[in-house]
Amino acid sequence: KVRTNSETPVDTKTAREFGAEGIGLCRTEHMFFDEERILSVREMILSKTQDDRAKALAKLLPHQKKDFIELFKIMYDLPVNVRLLDPPLHEFIGTMTPAQIKDLAKKIKVTPAFIKNRINALHEENPMLGHRGCRLGIVYPEITRMQATAILEAAAEVQAKGVKVLPEIMVPLVSYEKELELQKAVIDEAAAEVRKKLGLKASQLK
């Protein structure tokens, strides 16, 4: 079967019209580069505490959920494979100009020097062997939890309207069995929380 790479409603609709039999790769990081969302992503990356990181992620969750609702509606009865956040964090902050750094520092109440130091600390010569993919989700499980929650709440909402939904979650860059076990545990916890919140049975949200 032939699936499409897609993260936007326009591309998804076009692919379906061309006969795509589902989404084979939805790269969620592409959903974060909107001007409003990138600020929340940067807040999350630059957070000093887990509570601050959770607040930033809470701002991203409704955006992610809205995106997935749109994709599930368009791809009704076809599978949608969503890849959890994959790229290294420095890609979201390493391209900022001095003016953008100054503006962001003012918004999140830190010094420009703090942001520059964080950019330098996160930079990697070979991120493929470093802090990205499932390794990012293992260090920051709250990122995986937010994304899994958004996917599953969106699926449940669309399904409740009588639309067949076939969500799939891809854990990126897995090298060892333990890595997958750790991420699966977070996803399963998120699923249990969504079921409890929405009053669903296990068979209604797998």
Side-chain angles (χ1 to χ4, degrees):
K1 294 184 177 181
V2 178
R3 298 195 194 184
T4 182
N5 282 10
S6 182
E7 299 84 30
T8 68
V10 173
D11 287 348
T12 302
K13 188 174 183 294
T14 301
R16 175 140 197 165
E17 289 171 353
F18 273 107
E21 298 169 279
I23 293 178
L25 180 62
C26 171
R27 299 157 291 190
T28 53
E29 58 272 11
H30 289 202
M31 299 171 164
F32 289 152
F33 288 109
D34 171 88
E35 188 173 336
E36 181 182 349
R37 301 182 196 192
I38 193 69
L39 178 60
S40 297
V41 173
R42 287 169 174 165
E43 282 182 43
M44 181 267 293
I45 294 169
L46 297 167
S47 297
K48 295 180 180 179
T49 67
Q50 190 169 349
D51 285 344
D52 288 341
R53 195 155 46 246
K55 289 175 184 176
L57 287 168
K59 295 177 186 177
L60 288 170
L61 194 150
H63 292 300
Q64 286 264 274
K65 181 178 173 180
K66 182 174 178 288
D67 289 336
F68 296 134
I69 285 173
E70 290 299 315
L71 299 189
F72 291 148
K73 283 181 179 177
I74 296 168
M75 279 294 174
Y76 61 89
D77 79 8
L78 292 174
V80 175
N81 192 329
V82 181
R83 184 177 72 188
L84 301 179
L85 191 62
D86 180 43
L89 295 180
H90 82 261
E91 287 191 9
F92 291 102
I93 60 175
T95 57
M96 288 191 290
T97 64
Q100 288 175 318
I101 289 174
K102 186 177 179 181
D103 185 51
L104 178 61
K106 186 177 179 181
K107 285 180 180 175
I108 64 175
K109 299 177 181 178
V110 298
T111 64
F114 172 82
I115 294 178
K116 289 176 185 176
N117 288 337
R118 190 77 175 123
I119 291 172
N120 291 334
L122 288 171
H123 179 75
E124 294 178 288
E125 292 301 328
N126 187 351
M128 290 298 289
L129 298 176
H131 195 198
R132 65 174 292 182
C134 68
R135 299 183 288 277
L136 186 62
I138 289 168
V139 175
Y140 300 114
E142 53 269 36
I143 297 177
T144 298
R145 185 173 292 108
M146 180 278 287
Q147 291 201 289
T149 299
I151 294 165
L152 297 170
E153 284 190 359
E157 186 171 316
V158 174
Q159 190 170 268
K161 295 178 180 177
V163 178
K164 187 177 179 181
V165 183
L166 298 172
E168 300 170 348
I169 297 177
M170 180 193 296
V171 178
L173 283 183
V174 172
S175 301
Y176 300 99
E177 184 179 350
K178 188 64 177 179
E179 292 175 331
L180 186 57
E181 287 176 357
L182 289 168
Q183 287 290 273
K184 184 179 184 299
V186 176
I187 294 166
D188 287 344
E189 286 173 12
E193 289 169 6
V194 171
R195 287 191 205 103
K196 183 178 180 181
K197 177 183 175 181
L198 301 179
L200 300 173
K201 297 176 182 178
S203 60
Q204 293 174 290
L205 185 63
K206 296 182 180 180

